[in-house]
Amino acid sequence: DQQVKQNSPSLSVQEGRISILNCDYTNSMFDYFLWYKKYPAEGPTFLISISSIKDKNEDGRFTVFLNKSAKHLSLHIVPSQPGDSAVYFCAASAETGANNLFFGTGTRLTVIP
Amino acid sequence: NAGVMQNPRHLVRRRGQEARLRCSPMKGHSHVYWYRQLPEEGLKFMVYLQKENIIDESGMPKERFSAEFPKEGPSILRIQQVVRGDSAAYFCASSPRTGDGYTFGSGTRLTVV
């Protein structure tokens, strides 16, 4: 029962272009969403989050968009850099900062120099 | 200021043996979380502990798995009588208080042969 879904297992983007990573969820009780970035042999590191009261949150090259009616969020990275190559996980919780995060299966982003 | 420390990084066990995974939270963090990542899947919540207390173990398998976070020392995730299906990456995270975002360790990769 995968409540958070990332349907694209991989994505390749040219350096300098925009990367768009997508995430869908099924639980309408989710109200806090996070993106984590993971390099091989390391733990996930927090990237950016968004509360359900907002539809956009921006931090430097990273922007997360939330469409509550579609139960969809996306992470935009622009411009993409080779160092962005990693696996990106979408996560959600049913209350802000809740102890139990539900993770997607991840999207492997490759930024081609 | 060391991050979340997990050891060992890699652990190989034969079927039927016990596996012990250790997690030392960041300094000042009293909340510990364990997640498991099976091959080709996202991270799945297992258990949330505070010092000497299990707060939420809703993600723990009912048998063979146990966790503790004693007053002194690291948190331990114990798997008794391991089976091949236990092979996974086990990640620990910590936070200073409930509701805060948390920091992951680099994980322990358990292989059951």
Side-chain angles (χ1 to χ4, degrees):
Chain A
D1 177 24
Q2 192 71 24
Q3 298 188 53
V4 178
K5 300 177 184 178
Q6 293 175 257
N7 293 320
S8 296
S10 62
L11 174 69
S12 290
V13 171
Q14 206 73 32
E15 181 179 4
R17 307 294 289 267
I18 185 171
S19 297
I20 300 176
L21 297 95
N22 294 303
C23 177
D24 298 290
Y25 60 95
T26 57
N27 189 339
S28 58
M29 297 299 292
F30 287 151
D31 64 355
Y32 189 60
F33 305 89
L34 309 91
W35 284 94
Y36 282 83
K37 177 179 178 179
K38 185 181 179 303
Y39 292 116
E42 293 185 14
T45 54
F46 170 75
L47 198 56
I48 192 169
S49 64
I50 188 167
S51 165
S52 61
I53 62 174
K54 301 175 77 172
D55 54 19
K56 176 182 173 181
N57 189 25
E58 191 172 352
D59 183 2
R61 297 186 296 115
F62 302 91
T63 303
V64 56
F65 294 92
L66 175 63
N67 183 335
K68 290 185 287 296
S69 60
K71 294 193 180 68
H72 176 85
L73 64 156
S74 60
L75 174 68
H76 293 210
I77 307 173
V78 57
S80 301
Q81 300 173 353
D84 296 330
S85 297
V87 177
Y88 289 79
F89 289 97
C90 170
S93 69
E95 54 188 274
T96 303
N99 305 308
N100 183 352
L101 291 180
F102 292 84
F103 280 83
T105 51
T107 296
R108 182 179 301 280
L109 173 66
T110 303
V111 179
I112 304 164
Chain B
N1 180 22
V4 178
M5 304 300 292
Q6 289 189 251
N7 67 83
R9 291 294 302 271
H10 300 274
L11 181 62
V12 179
R13 284 286 177 266
R14 296 186 186 279
R15 280 180 295 171
Q17 290 185 319
E18 178 179 282
R20 283 193 180 203
L21 290 66
R22 294 174 187 77
C23 170
S24 295
M26 286 184 70
K27 188 176 181 181
H29 287 194
S30 58
H31 300 247
V32 166
Y33 316 82
W34 286 93
Y35 282 77
R36 175 168 68 171
Q37 184 182 20
L38 295 169
E40 308 303 322
E41 294 188 16
L43 286 80
K44 295 211 186 307
F45 170 79
M46 298 182 74
V47 63
Y48 160 46
L49 311 101
Q50 295 179 23
K51 283 285 187 183
E52 301 185 275
N53 288 304
I54 297 174
I55 307 303
D56 180 355
E57 57 181 348
S58 58
M60 287 279 271
K62 294 289 184 283
E63 297 176 349
R64 302 187 297 108
F65 285 71
S66 63
E68 62 177 13
F69 188 18
K71 188 176 180 181
E72 300 291 336
S75 175
I76 306 288
L77 179 67
R78 183 180 292 111
I79 312 172
Q80 297 177 306
Q81 299 174 324
V82 296
V83 301
R84 289 234 170 95
D86 296 333
S87 295
Y90 291 81
F91 291 96
C92 169
S94 73
S95 69
R97 62 194 141 264
T98 189
D100 276 5
Y102 38 73
T103 303
F104 280 92
S106 297
T108 293
R109 278 142 191 86
L110 172 66
T111 302
V112 179
V113 296

